[in-house]
Amino acid sequence: GQNGRNGGHYEGVAYDNRFPDDANFRPKLFLTEDRSNGPLERFQPSVQALADAKASGDYSNLLHIDPDNTAQTDYLLITPDANIDTQGTFIWTSSLSAGRDNANSYFQNCEGIDVRNGMLYMTCKADKLLFILNLDALTYTQSSTKSGAFNDQPDQIAAITGVNGDIMYFCEDGISGGESGDSGSGVHARDATGQGYTILQDEGSGLTGETTGLAFSPDRKLMIVAYQQGRIYKIWREDGRPFGGQTLDIRYHSAPDNIFAFAE
């Protein structure tokens, strides 16, 4: 493969292309691997391949060719602060072995990933952690995803920006016998203050497997999510407002009777 790894337990992909008209900015693609030593990989396409793709409008070879030997693959290395181990700095290295060692030490079995406005969001299910990387400042923070109902294994992320700040939606990779006591996977969220919410939950554990494929309609009024046993749900808010609007009228983890959305 282009990254020289010839396969792996790849899980999630995200990209950063904030400045498509800037000739000095190359898009960056990020790839997670669901292994205890699965690194976070960053790929930058060939300068010539990118120029050719922009000129022709054909991007089909962007990830596969390197005519000028400028394509670059590297891996995340984080360094926690000496006094606060939930934040720190990071660099990128071309060494796959160093990337694997770093992942094994700090961020095992990462899955969900998203990039918005220069911030990378990544969930790692082994220790149930959420990482937020500032791609420009090369700093990061981490926090636990063990919040109320969201206490199984976090999976795919979709981050959307609301009027009052960032709302981050998680799929939950529920497992039988997990901390919630059952396999009831669902969709959960956090706002910019760290407050956790439950969007929907299979409270009866009638559905098996994880939730996945989380997506939103362009107007954010519809949420689409799939259960891996073979069901796809379309969800909308009872009040007709979009997900990520001025107020998210959704239930806190401590108020399980306040249901706000419908699904079909």
Side-chain angles (χ1 to χ4, degrees):
Q2 178 74 12
N3 64 2
R5 294 169 62 187
N6 297 314
H9 297 277
Y10 299 142
E11 188 69 32
V13 176
Y15 69 94
D16 178 16
N17 192 27
R18 285 170 285 161
F19 310 108
D21 298 324
D22 186 344
N24 296 316
F25 183 87
R26 277 193 287 175
K28 299 170 180 63
L29 293 96
F30 302 90
L31 176 67
T32 58
E33 184 176 4
D34 185 8
R35 293 179 56 179
S36 60
N37 65 345
L40 175 63
E41 178 179 314
R42 182 183 70 169
F43 174 74
Q44 299 179 81
S46 155
V47 174
Q48 185 61 54
L50 179 61
D52 292 345
K54 287 182 176 180
S56 66
D58 180 4
Y59 289 81
S60 60
N61 286 320
L62 191 60
L63 304 182
H64 308 294
I65 62 174
D66 187 13
D68 55 353
N69 199 33
T70 58
Q72 183 176 347
T73 300
D74 42 29
Y75 307 93
L76 178 67
L77 291 183
I78 70 172
T79 301
D81 287 351
N83 298 321
I84 306 176
D85 62 4
T86 56
Q87 65 183 42
T89 59
F90 66 88
I91 61 172
W92 299 96
T93 177
S94 60
S95 170
L96 173 57
S97 61
R100 288 201 180 280
D101 289 344
N102 196 253
N104 192 60
S105 296
Y106 298 112
F107 50 97
Q108 296 184 359
N109 297 91
C110 295
E111 295 197 344
I113 187 171
D114 202 353
V115 175
R116 290 290 186 274
N117 301 320
M119 306 296 288
L120 183 149
Y121 304 85
M122 177 175 69
T123 52
C124 303
K125 67 182 183 183
D127 295 313
K128 301 180 177 67
L129 296 175
L130 166 67
F131 285 84
I132 303 177
L133 279 62
N134 186 319
L135 298 175
D136 296 328
L138 300 180
T139 58
Y140 78 91
T141 60
Q142 73 178 61
S143 60
S144 172
T145 61
K146 297 178 183 178
S147 174
F150 186 14
N151 56 12
D152 280 323
Q153 298 179 6
D155 199 353
Q156 301 298 330
I157 294 178
I160 63 175
T161 302
V163 174
N164 289 337
D166 287 340
I167 299 291
M168 188 175 304
Y169 292 86
F170 301 85
C171 284
E172 185 179 38
D173 185 0
I175 53 175
S176 179
E179 292 184 39
S180 63
D182 54 44
S183 59
S185 297
V187 177
H188 307 276
R190 279 189 176 184
D191 62 22
T193 69
Q195 173 63 56
Y197 307 92
T198 294
I199 308 300
L200 62 95
Q201 177 76 42
D202 175 25
E203 295 182 344
S205 301
L207 300 173
T208 59
E210 63 191 75
T211 47
T212 188
L214 181 63
F216 296 89
S217 63
D219 62 5
R220 299 179 184 166
K221 290 187 176 182
L222 291 178
M223 175 190 293
I224 311 297
V225 67
Y227 277 83
Q228 285 192 328
Q229 72 171 186
R231 295 188 182 185
I232 299 175
Y233 289 89
K234 179 173 68 176
I235 300 119
W236 62 94
R237 285 181 54 150
E238 184 177 24
D239 57 12
R241 298 175 68 181
F243 293 92
Q246 289 189 359
T247 303
L248 282 173
D249 184 20
I250 56 183
R251 62 187 175 112
Y252 288 79
H253 292 307
S254 59
D257 296 327
N258 297 327
I259 304 300
F260 85 104
F262 294 104
E264 65 177 23

